[in-house]
Amino acid sequence: MTTDTLRFAAAIASLLLAGGVQAEDRKLYLFNWTQYMDPEIITAFEEKFGVEVVENYYNSQPEMVAKLNAGGVSQYDIIVPSSYYVPRLIEMGLVQKLDKDKVPNLANLAEQFRDPVLGEGLDYAAPYQWGVTGLVYNASTFKEAPKSWSMVFDPTVNDAWPFGLMTGGQVSMGIACAYLGHGYDCTDLDDWREAARLLIETKHRGNFSGFSDGTPALQQLARKVTHAGLSFNGDYLFYREENPESFADIKFVIPDEGTEKWVDSMMIPARAPHPELANAFINFILDARVGAQLSNYNYYASPNAAAEPYLDEVLTQPPIQPSEEDMARLRFSPSLSGEQLQIFQQLWSEVKAR
């Protein structure tokens, strides 16, 4: 082989090895929530690594798990579950450990997001964004609204105006537990039963409009189909900034009884087709400026301490960054497994059926 031929071969190899990713890793398959990723971040990653990112979406975590079990565990490179699903995915064998040597930007994470709840000390999961599930309501309807879940559970507070609850069973059961004084993160069986009874009673009130996810709940409020419900602080701010007139009277609060703090994390499915590229993507997202760009796009708080200097000011104050007083009221949804999970699912099925 001539010297010129060797140089040509080396040049081709260099082009194919972008950012340390193997030549055959030409695509990254991202399985994520809708409206949760800045397209410009995807473009920047594609250009840096010379690959194509293929995005697919899910609307609920049960849907995500069902797709993983139906073959998605070997089809997707990155998934983005919430904190209470992380231990469950590990236990089910649906995810693999991160290659921490290839994710040095894990060092950028704030201390509070290194909790083992996120996957045995970040062995499996790298925080993506975090937020709060709170009470949203029409302030022109409820002019002296209590900062309380009584707006959805107490008929003497709201006996006429349509309201909804959240599709996610652990969230709706959690806020019922909180309202009853058992704490949002309750796991006692008797507490669950009491919460289930409250939810069933609430369902049968004439002004209960049904269960919905956080984004549809905001859209229903904006159209005055409902006047109170549950949603996420980032979605609330996003829609308020996008459509200030429709959301002028809509408020987001963290009830005094407490509510959910959640962290969405990046994880790699157990048989991901491109794990090396997946680790590179996680490291890319955890870059200080990229992490800030992500939050500035979707209006959720960043778990990335290094990103803080680059965040838009609106993300450094309520409702995105709760006050210290409100932070003390926030709890993670407990991660359930085995018999405990089966019992919960039975109770939640009963709530939905009755």
Side-chain angles (χ1 to χ4, degrees), residues 35-349:
Q35 295 184 321
Y36 210 22
M37 171 58 72
D38 183 352
E40 292 185 7
I41 291 177
I42 294 298
T43 299
F45 181 81
E46 289 176 328
E47 291 177 352
K48 179 174 182 178
F49 290 93
V51 298
E52 176 188 357
V53 176
V54 180
E55 297 183 81
N56 290 278
Y57 307 100
Y58 51 87
N59 293 310
S60 71
Q61 297 190 104
E63 177 189 346
M64 174 199 68
V65 174
K67 289 192 175 180
L68 290 178
N69 280 320
V73 73
S74 59
Q75 296 170 355
Y76 302 116
D77 295 303
I78 297 283
I79 56 173
V80 190
S82 294
S83 43
Y84 66 100
Y85 262 74
V86 167
R88 194 179 305 177
L89 290 165
I90 296 170
E91 186 176 310
M92 295 171 70
L94 293 175
V95 290
Q96 61 179 273
K97 286 187 175 183
L98 306 180
D99 186 342
K100 291 185 178 181
D101 289 340
K102 295 175 181 172
V103 193
N105 285 335
L106 284 168
N108 287 341
L109 291 169
E111 188 63 33
Q112 67 169 307
F113 298 107
R114 298 173 180 273
D115 191 286
V117 74
L118 301 180
E120 301 179 14
L122 302 180
D123 284 346
Y124 287 87
Y128 178 79
Q129 298 278 258
W130 75 274
V132 177
T133 305
L135 173 68
V136 283
Y137 67 93
N138 190 321
S140 65
T141 303
F142 301 100
K143 292 184 172 60
E144 297 182 5
K147 192 165 175 270
S148 167
W149 290 121
S150 62
M151 190 151 342
V152 295
F153 290 126
D154 187 345
T156 66
V157 174
N158 176 20
D159 65 350
W161 298 101
F163 70 95
L165 293 173
M166 189 160 274
T167 304
Q170 284 196 243
V171 176
S172 284
M173 285 279 278
I175 66 163
C177 276
Y179 175 70
L180 292 166
H182 305 313
Y184 174 82
D185 54 351
C186 73
T187 56
D188 180 82
L189 180 55
D190 288 337
D191 293 345
W192 277 354
R193 285 173 175 153
E194 188 180 358
R197 285 193 294 270
L198 174 61
L199 289 168
I200 291 168
E201 291 170 5
T202 302
K203 275 183 61 182
H204 288 286
R205 285 164 51 193
N207 54 331
F208 177 67
S209 66
F211 295 96
S212 67
D213 294 318
T215 300
L218 287 169
Q219 295 165 343
Q220 290 165 6
L221 278 165
R223 299 195 307 270
K224 293 185 169 58
V225 174
T226 60
H227 293 256
L230 281 74
S231 193
F232 312 117
N233 56 345
D235 277 14
Y236 163 76
L237 182 61
F238 178 87
Y239 282 101
R240 193 187 74 181
E241 295 289 311
E242 192 173 67
N243 191 353
E245 184 176 347
S246 295
F247 282 81
D249 293 326
I250 297 174
K251 305 299 181 186
F252 177 99
V253 297
I254 294 171
D256 290 340
E257 301 94 342
T259 188
E260 178 192 34
K261 173 176 72 174
W262 49 263
V263 180
D264 287 343
S265 294
M266 296 171 284
M267 303 185 80
I268 304 174
R271 296 194 296 277
H274 311 112
E276 187 172 353
L277 187 57
N279 280 285
F281 181 81
I282 292 171
N283 193 60
F284 185 79
I285 295 297
L286 293 180
D287 173 82
R289 290 185 181 274
V290 175
Q293 182 180 345
L294 178 63
S295 288
N296 292 338
Y297 171 81
N298 63 31
Y299 287 87
Y300 278 104
S302 177
N304 190 332
E308 290 178 8
Y310 311 109
L311 292 172
D312 291 343
E313 185 177 357
V314 72
L315 302 181
T316 66
Q317 57 197 24
I320 304 306
Q321 181 59 55
S323 67
E324 287 188 19
E325 186 179 15
D326 279 340
M327 280 292 290
R329 299 187 175 102
L330 301 178
R331 298 290 184 273
F332 285 117
S333 291
S335 184
L336 309 176
S337 61
E339 183 180 1
Q340 188 183 42
L341 177 59
Q342 290 179 351
I343 292 171
F344 178 86
Q345 289 174 333
Q346 289 169 358
L347 283 170
W348 180 240
S349 295

